[in-house]
Amino acid sequence: MMRIPCPWCGPRDEVEFRCGGESHIARPDPDRADDDAWAAYLFDRHNVRGAGSERWLHRHGCGRWFNLVRDTVTHEIRTVYAMTDPRPERDP
Amino acid sequence: MPRFAYSAFSLLRHGLTGHRRWRPAWRMPDPKPHYAAIVVGGGGHGLATAYYLARTHGLTDVAVLEKGWIGGGNTGRNTTVVRSNYYFPASGQLYDLALRLYEGLSRELDFNVMLSQRGMLMLAHSHHDMEFARRTANAIRRNGIDCQLLDQAAVARRVPILDISADARFPVLGGYRQARGGVARHDAVAWGYARAADRLGVDIIQNCEVGGFIVEAGRIVGVETSRGPIRADRVGLAAAGHSGVLAAKAGFRLPITSHALQAFVSEPVKPILDEVVLSPATGVYVSQSDKGELVVGGGLDLHPSYSQRGNLPVAENVLSGLVGMFPCFANLRLMRSWAGIVDVVVDSSPIIGPAPAYGLYLNCGWGTGGFKAIPAGGTLLAHVMATGEQHPIARPFGLERFRDGALVDEAAASGIPH
């Protein structure tokens, strides 16, 4: 069971949220990207074992998106930050 | 190596000596400095790959490297279902190859994998489900695979304890059934392949974790392990949920996200369910083991995870669905629950074939449905590793399908949409 700290609503049960997958995937220019670059953008993931950046949606709450740094082995949540913020340099 | 066949006679003979003279089913060799081929991952797929490399392609200078003990990962954590009722022709060919091999596997390996083709029933809970069941059943039959559409009365005859009453929480209108579907003993599949591969000369090396790859002139020529470097002419990856971790060490990414998939086992009860029942709507699949336990599976924990334990909300969802369909199970106690780390691909189809790194070959992406495919996964990875060419059945499942936009979109590997 995870309690996820929504930056607007505070800590809530994980059932209120939806995970939107890996954060900071940059969309290449569709007019310039070749098929390999476009496929990598659509499908390839770092699939980190350990601390990774993820997008989450507070679906049954405020309905807003935000970023988490979460450990995929322990499920520990280390950092919460806004959708528009860059990836934290290192874990606090 | 002398051949010690398992038989009623050997059982009797060892019984007379108090079962003290059974020999280990495989050796525990130290790794050699070089092999013709290395398979990373000692689960069902890796062991089967080594077996078919030796048996089909005569390549016996092979090592299987397993970071823990063989069959200790997803092979020992699944719900043991085998079936080939897939929608697309490419998938039908792939999974029916596996099921046909399963049908002869006990004899082939001289190891009883306890295949029980009791039938597998997919339920339809609404008129829309029923329409799709009809369409799916027709597609499966067009793929040359046995499948039968059942109405409500036929479902009730087959599974009398299912709640099909008008006010059921999940009304049942019918379903479709593959009579050749069923279950097999998961540990026995790993052990059977291990013993058979070992007897052909394959080295099975346990407690040997791969930490990196040896690259020379742009080609992978071996692996760095917890037991030292081991070189090889070619390397196959059969590491399921940890494929992405190994891919990162080889310098590329895969279209895979790892998730936890939970399973549950109840206390044993007398025979009550003679069928594998799957409900896409409730997200539950259930069968009864030979010991009498109910073996229950469900949907994924829907966030990336490498933790071999599941979260409670998914467990609650699965068990409430189970009890909604089978009210008589409400008083059962669970003995165990656990999770395996599964490698989920966007089209729920596996990835088989050459990797982006030369000298490396992939067998991954089976997601929630890898157990049923073990004999096929082993056959196909062995084929591409031995010949350098994709087996015709594996061609649609290469990594290039993502670049080419030719996904084999099965939507679900275990029959539960994720």
mmCIF file with all atom_site columns, all heavy atoms in Angstrom, chain B residues 27-42:
data_model
loop_
_atom_site.group_PDB
_atom_site.id
_atom_site.type_symbol
_atom_site.label_atom_id
_atom_site.label_alt_id
_atom_site.label_comp_id
_atom_site.label_asym_id
_atom_site.label_entity_id
_atom_site.label_seq_id
_atom_site.pdbx_PDB_ins_code
_atom_site.Cartn_x
_atom_site.Cartn_y
_atom_site.Cartn_z
_atom_site.occupancy
_atom_site.B_iso_or_equiv
_atom_site.pdbx_formal_charge
_atom_site.auth_seq_id
_atom_site.auth_comp_id
_atom_site.auth_asym_id
_atom_site.auth_atom_id
_atom_site.pdbx_PDB_model_num
ATOM 1   N N   . ARG B 1 27 ? 23.923 -31.530 -12.441 1.00 0.00 ? 27 ARG B N   1
ATOM 2   C CA  . ARG B 1 27 ? 25.207 -31.266 -11.796 1.00 0.00 ? 27 ARG B CA  1
ATOM 3   C C   . ARG B 1 27 ? 25.262 -29.827 -11.275 1.00 0.00 ? 27 ARG B C   1
ATOM 4   O O   . ARG B 1 27 ? 24.416 -29.014 -11.608 1.00 0.00 ? 27 ARG B O   1
ATOM 5   C CB  . ARG B 1 27 ? 26.352 -31.465 -12.798 1.00 0.00 ? 27 ARG B CB  1
ATOM 6   C CG  . ARG B 1 27 ? 26.487 -32.879 -13.340 1.00 0.00 ? 27 ARG B CG  1
ATOM 7   C CD  . ARG B 1 27 ? 27.338 -32.860 -14.612 1.00 0.00 ? 27 ARG B CD  1
ATOM 8   N NE  . ARG B 1 27 ? 26.673 -32.096 -15.664 1.00 0.00 ? 27 ARG B NE  1
ATOM 9   C CZ  . ARG B 1 27 ? 27.247 -31.156 -16.397 1.00 0.00 ? 27 ARG B CZ  1
ATOM 10  N NH1 . ARG B 1 27 ? 28.524 -30.872 -16.233 1.00 0.00 ? 27 ARG B NH1 1
ATOM 11  N NH2 . ARG B 1 27 ? 26.568 -30.489 -17.313 1.00 0.00 ? 27 ARG B NH2 1
ATOM 12  N N   . MET B 1 28 ? 26.249 -29.515 -10.492 1.00 0.00 ? 28 MET B N   1
ATOM 13  C CA  . MET B 1 28 ? 26.490 -28.147 -10.015 1.00 0.00 ? 28 MET B CA  1
ATOM 14  C C   . MET B 1 28 ? 27.891 -27.729 -10.459 1.00 0.00 ? 28 MET B C   1
ATOM 15  O O   . MET B 1 28 ? 28.793 -27.599 -9.630  1.00 0.00 ? 28 MET B O   1
ATOM 16  C CB  . MET B 1 28 ? 26.406 -28.086 -8.484  1.00 0.00 ? 28 MET B CB  1
ATOM 17  C CG  . MET B 1 28 ? 25.075 -28.518 -7.909  1.00 0.00 ? 28 MET B CG  1
ATOM 18  S SD  . MET B 1 28 ? 23.900 -27.170 -7.918  1.00 0.00 ? 28 MET B SD  1
ATOM 19  C CE  . MET B 1 28 ? 22.588 -27.891 -6.930  1.00 0.00 ? 28 MET B CE  1
ATOM 20  N N   . PRO B 1 29 ? 28.101 -27.543 -11.758 1.00 0.00 ? 29 PRO B N   1
ATOM 21  C CA  . PRO B 1 29 ? 29.463 -27.302 -12.237 1.00 0.00 ? 29 PRO B CA  1
ATOM 22  C C   . PRO B 1 29 ? 29.930 -25.873 -11.959 1.00 0.00 ? 29 PRO B C   1
ATOM 23  O O   . PRO B 1 29 ? 29.125 -24.957 -11.793 1.00 0.00 ? 29 PRO B O   1
ATOM 24  C CB  . PRO B 1 29 ? 29.339 -27.520 -13.749 1.00 0.00 ? 29 PRO B CB  1
ATOM 25  C CG  . PRO B 1 29 ? 27.924 -27.179 -14.049 1.00 0.00 ? 29 PRO B CG  1
ATOM 26  C CD  . PRO B 1 29 ? 27.111 -27.518 -12.822 1.00 0.00 ? 29 PRO B CD  1
ATOM 27  N N   . ASP B 1 30 ? 31.260 -25.714 -11.891 1.00 0.00 ? 30 ASP B N   1
ATOM 28  C CA  . ASP B 1 30 ? 31.829 -24.370 -11.893 1.00 0.00 ? 30 ASP B CA  1
ATOM 29  C C   . ASP B 1 30 ? 31.849 -23.877 -13.338 1.00 0.00 ? 30 ASP B C   1
ATOM 30  O O   . ASP B 1 30 ? 32.008 -24.671 -14.258 1.00 0.00 ? 30 ASP B O   1
ATOM 31  C CB  . ASP B 1 30 ? 33.258 -24.394 -11.332 1.00 0.00 ? 30 ASP B CB  1
ATOM 32  C CG  . ASP B 1 30 ? 33.246 -24.621 -9.834  1.00 0.00 ? 30 ASP B CG  1
ATOM 33  O OD1 . ASP B 1 30 ? 32.342 -24.088 -9.166  1.00 0.00 ? 30 ASP B OD1 1
ATOM 34  O OD2 . ASP B 1 30 ? 34.115 -25.366 -9.346  1.00 0.00 ? 30 ASP B OD2 1
ATOM 35  N N   . PRO B 1 31 ? 31.727 -22.573 -13.522 1.00 0.00 ? 31 PRO B N   1
ATOM 36  C CA  . PRO B 1 31 ? 31.725 -22.070 -14.906 1.00 0.00 ? 31 PRO B CA  1
ATOM 37  C C   . PRO B 1 31 ? 33.077 -22.269 -15.583 1.00 0.00 ? 31 PRO B C   1
ATOM 38  O O   . PRO B 1 31 ? 34.129 -22.125 -14.959 1.00 0.00 ? 31 PRO B O   1
ATOM 39  C CB  . PRO B 1 31 ? 31.398 -20.581 -14.754 1.00 0.00 ? 31 PRO B CB  1
ATOM 40  C CG  . PRO B 1 31 ? 31.608 -20.250 -13.316 1.00 0.00 ? 31 PRO B CG  1
ATOM 41  C CD  . PRO B 1 31 ? 31.458 -21.512 -12.541 1.00 0.00 ? 31 PRO B CD  1
ATOM 42  N N   . LYS B 1 32 ? 33.027 -22.636 -16.851 1.00 0.00 ? 32 LYS B N   1
ATOM 43  C CA  . LYS B 1 32 ? 34.235 -22.690 -17.663 1.00 0.00 ? 32 LYS B CA  1
ATOM 44  C C   . LYS B 1 32 ? 34.545 -21.277 -18.160 1.00 0.00 ? 32 LYS B C   1
ATOM 45  O O   . LYS B 1 32 ? 33.678 -20.408 -18.144 1.00 0.00 ? 32 LYS B O   1
ATOM 46  C CB  . LYS B 1 32 ? 34.014 -23.627 -18.864 1.00 0.00 ? 32 LYS B CB  1
ATOM 47  C CG  . LYS B 1 32 ? 33.814 -25.077 -18.465 1.00 0.00 ? 32 LYS B CG  1
ATOM 48  C CD  . LYS B 1 32 ? 33.892 -26.012 -19.669 1.00 0.00 ? 32 LYS B CD  1
ATOM 49  C CE  . LYS B 1 32 ? 32.675 -25.905 -20.555 1.00 0.00 ? 32 LYS B CE  1
ATOM 50  N NZ  . LYS B 1 32 ? 32.621 -26.878 -21.653 1.00 0.00 ? 32 LYS B NZ  1
ATOM 51  N N   . PRO B 1 33 ? 35.785 -21.023 -18.624 1.00 0.00 ? 33 PRO B N   1
ATOM 52  C CA  . PRO B 1 33 ? 36.099 -19.656 -19.098 1.00 0.00 ? 33 PRO B CA  1
ATOM 53  C C   . PRO B 1 33 ? 35.390 -19.293 -20.397 1.00 0.00 ? 33 PRO B C   1
ATOM 54  O O   . PRO B 1 33 ? 35.215 -18.127 -20.692 1.00 0.00 ? 33 PRO B O   1
ATOM 55  C CB  . PRO B 1 33 ? 37.621 -19.685 -19.285 1.00 0.00 ? 33 PRO B CB  1
ATOM 56  C CG  . PRO B 1 33 ? 38.031 -21.113 -19.212 1.00 0.00 ? 33 PRO B CG  1
ATOM 57  C CD  . PRO B 1 33 ? 36.947 -21.900 -18.555 1.00 0.00 ? 33 PRO B CD  1
ATOM 58  N N   . HIS B 1 34 ? 34.985 -20.286 -21.184 1.00 0.00 ? 34 HIS B N   1
ATOM 59  C CA  . HIS B 1 34 ? 34.382 -19.990 -22.485 1.00 0.00 ? 34 HIS B CA  1
ATOM 60  C C   . HIS B 1 34 ? 33.329 -21.036 -22.839 1.00 0.00 ? 34 HIS B C   1
ATOM 61  O O   . HIS B 1 34 ? 33.509 -22.227 -22.564 1.00 0.00 ? 34 HIS B O   1
ATOM 62  C CB  . HIS B 1 34 ? 35.462 -19.972 -23.580 1.00 0.00 ? 34 HIS B CB  1
ATOM 63  C CG  . HIS B 1 34 ? 34.901 -19.709 -24.943 1.00 0.00 ? 34 HIS B CG  1
ATOM 64  N ND1 . HIS B 1 34 ? 34.438 -20.717 -25.774 1.00 0.00 ? 34 HIS B ND1 1
ATOM 65  C CD2 . HIS B 1 34 ? 34.713 -18.549 -25.622 1.00 0.00 ? 34 HIS B CD2 1
ATOM 66  C CE1 . HIS B 1 34 ? 33.987 -20.187 -26.895 1.00 0.00 ? 34 HIS B CE1 1
ATOM 67  N NE2 . HIS B 1 34 ? 34.142 -18.875 -26.837 1.00 0.00 ? 34 HIS B NE2 1
ATOM 68  N N   . TYR B 1 35 ? 32.246 -20.568 -23.454 1.00 0.00 ? 35 TYR B N   1
ATOM 69  C CA  . TYR B 1 35 ? 31.215 -21.465 -23.977 1.00 0.00 ? 35 TYR B CA  1
ATOM 70  C C   . TYR B 1 35 ? 30.863 -21.051 -25.403 1.00 0.00 ? 35 TYR B C   1
ATOM 71  O O   . TYR B 1 35 ? 31.064 -19.892 -25.794 1.00 0.00 ? 35 TYR B O   1
ATOM 72  C CB  . TYR B 1 35 ? 29.946 -21.387 -23.127 1.00 0.00 ? 35 TYR B CB  1
ATOM 73  C CG  . TYR B 1 35 ? 30.069 -22.012 -21.763 1.00 0.00 ? 35 TYR B CG  1
ATOM 74  C CD1 . TYR B 1 35 ? 30.434 -21.239 -20.671 1.00 0.00 ? 35 TYR B CD1 1
ATOM 75  C CD2 . TYR B 1 35 ? 29.810 -23.366 -21.569 1.00 0.00 ? 35 TYR B CD2 1
ATOM 76  C CE1 . TYR B 1 35 ? 30.547 -21.803 -19.411 1.00 0.00 ? 35 TYR B CE1 1
ATOM 77  C CE2 . TYR B 1 35 ? 29.920 -23.943 -20.309 1.00 0.00 ? 35 TYR B CE2 1
ATOM 78  C CZ  . TYR B 1 35 ? 30.287 -23.157 -19.232 1.00 0.00 ? 35 TYR B CZ  1
ATOM 79  O OH  . TYR B 1 35 ? 30.396 -23.726 -17.999 1.00 0.00 ? 35 TYR B OH  1
ATOM 80  N N   . ALA B 1 36 ? 30.319 -21.988 -26.157 1.00 0.00 ? 36 ALA B N   1
ATOM 81  C CA  . ALA B 1 36 ? 29.793 -21.640 -27.486 1.00 0.00 ? 36 ALA B CA  1
ATOM 82  C C   . ALA B 1 36 ? 28.592 -20.705 -27.336 1.00 0.00 ? 36 ALA B C   1
ATOM 83  O O   . ALA B 1 36 ? 28.399 -19.788 -28.127 1.00 0.00 ? 36 ALA B O   1
ATOM 84  C CB  . ALA B 1 36 ? 29.404 -22.902 -28.252 1.00 0.00 ? 36 ALA B CB  1
ATOM 85  N N   . ALA B 1 37 ? 27.784 -20.956 -26.296 1.00 0.00 ? 37 ALA B N   1
ATOM 86  C CA  . ALA B 1 37 ? 26.610 -20.104 -26.073 1.00 0.00 ? 37 ALA B CA  1
ATOM 87  C C   . ALA B 1 37 ? 26.317 -20.009 -24.588 1.00 0.00 ? 37 ALA B C   1
ATOM 88  O O   . ALA B 1 37 ? 26.473 -20.985 -23.849 1.00 0.00 ? 37 ALA B O   1
ATOM 89  C CB  . ALA B 1 37 ? 25.392 -20.665 -26.811 1.00 0.00 ? 37 ALA B CB  1
ATOM 90  N N   . ILE B 1 38 ? 25.895 -18.806 -24.177 1.00 0.00 ? 38 ILE B N   1
ATOM 91  C CA  . ILE B 1 38 ? 25.454 -18.576 -22.801 1.00 0.00 ? 38 ILE B CA  1
ATOM 92  C C   . ILE B 1 38 ? 24.004 -18.115 -22.851 1.00 0.00 ? 38 ILE B C   1
ATOM 93  O O   . ILE B 1 38 ? 23.632 -17.279 -23.686 1.00 0.00 ? 38 ILE B O   1
ATOM 94  C CB  . ILE B 1 38 ? 26.335 -17.498 -22.121 1.00 0.00 ? 38 ILE B CB  1
ATOM 95  C CG1 . ILE B 1 38 ? 27.665 -18.106 -21.665 1.00 0.00 ? 38 ILE B CG1 1
ATOM 96  C CG2 . ILE B 1 38 ? 25.615 -16.877 -20.932 1.00 0.00 ? 38 ILE B CG2 1
ATOM 97  C CD1 . ILE B 1 38 ? 28.611 -17.075 -21.077 1.00 0.00 ? 38 ILE B CD1 1
ATOM 98  N N   . VAL B 1 39 ? 23.191 -18.665 -21.949 1.00 0.00 ? 39 VAL B N   1
ATOM 99  C CA  . VAL B 1 39 ? 21.831 -18.181 -21.781 1.00 0.00 ? 39 VAL B CA  1
ATOM 100 C C   . VAL B 1 39 ? 21.743 -17.555 -20.394 1.00 0.00 ? 39 VAL B C   1
ATOM 101 O O   . VAL B 1 39 ? 22.065 -18.210 -19.399 1.00 0.00 ? 39 VAL B O   1
ATOM 102 C CB  . VAL B 1 39 ? 20.797 -19.322 -21.924 1.00 0.00 ? 39 VAL B CB  1
ATOM 103 C CG1 . VAL B 1 39 ? 19.386 -18.781 -21.787 1.00 0.00 ? 39 VAL B CG1 1
ATOM 104 C CG2 . VAL B 1 39 ? 20.971 -20.043 -23.252 1.00 0.00 ? 39 VAL B CG2 1
ATOM 105 N N   . VAL B 1 40 ? 21.344 -16.290 -20.336 1.00 0.00 ? 40 VAL B N   1
ATOM 106 C CA  . VAL B 1 40 ? 21.220 -15.589 -19.058 1.00 0.00 ? 40 VAL B CA  1
ATOM 107 C C   . VAL B 1 40 ? 19.785 -15.728 -18.567 1.00 0.00 ? 40 VAL B C   1
ATOM 108 O O   . VAL B 1 40 ? 18.848 -15.279 -19.228 1.00 0.00 ? 40 VAL B O   1
ATOM 109 C CB  . VAL B 1 40 ? 21.591 -14.096 -19.206 1.00 0.00 ? 40 VAL B CB  1
ATOM 110 C CG1 . VAL B 1 40 ? 21.480 -13.390 -17.860 1.00 0.00 ? 40 VAL B CG1 1
ATOM 111 C CG2 . VAL B 1 40 ? 22.988 -13.945 -19.782 1.00 0.00 ? 40 VAL B CG2 1
ATOM 112 N N   . GLY B 1 41 ? 19.615 -16.366 -17.416 1.00 0.00 ? 41 GLY B N   1
ATOM 113 C CA  . GLY B 1 41 ? 18.281 -16.562 -16.856 1.00 0.00 ? 41 GLY B CA  1
ATOM 114 C C   . GLY B 1 41 ? 17.950 -18.037 -16.786 1.00 0.00 ? 41 GLY B C   1
ATOM 115 O O   . GLY B 1 41 ? 17.805 -18.688 -17.822 1.00 0.00 ? 41 GLY B O   1
ATOM 116 N N   . GLY B 1 42 ? 17.857 -18.577 -15.570 1.00 0.00 ? 42 GLY B N   1
ATOM 117 C CA  . GLY B 1 42 ? 17.571 -19.995 -15.378 1.00 0.00 ? 42 GLY B CA  1
ATOM 118 C C   . GLY B 1 42 ? 16.130 -20.247 -14.999 1.00 0.00 ? 42 GLY B C   1
ATOM 119 O O   . GLY B 1 42 ? 15.837 -21.049 -14.114 1.00 0.00 ? 42 GLY B O   1
#
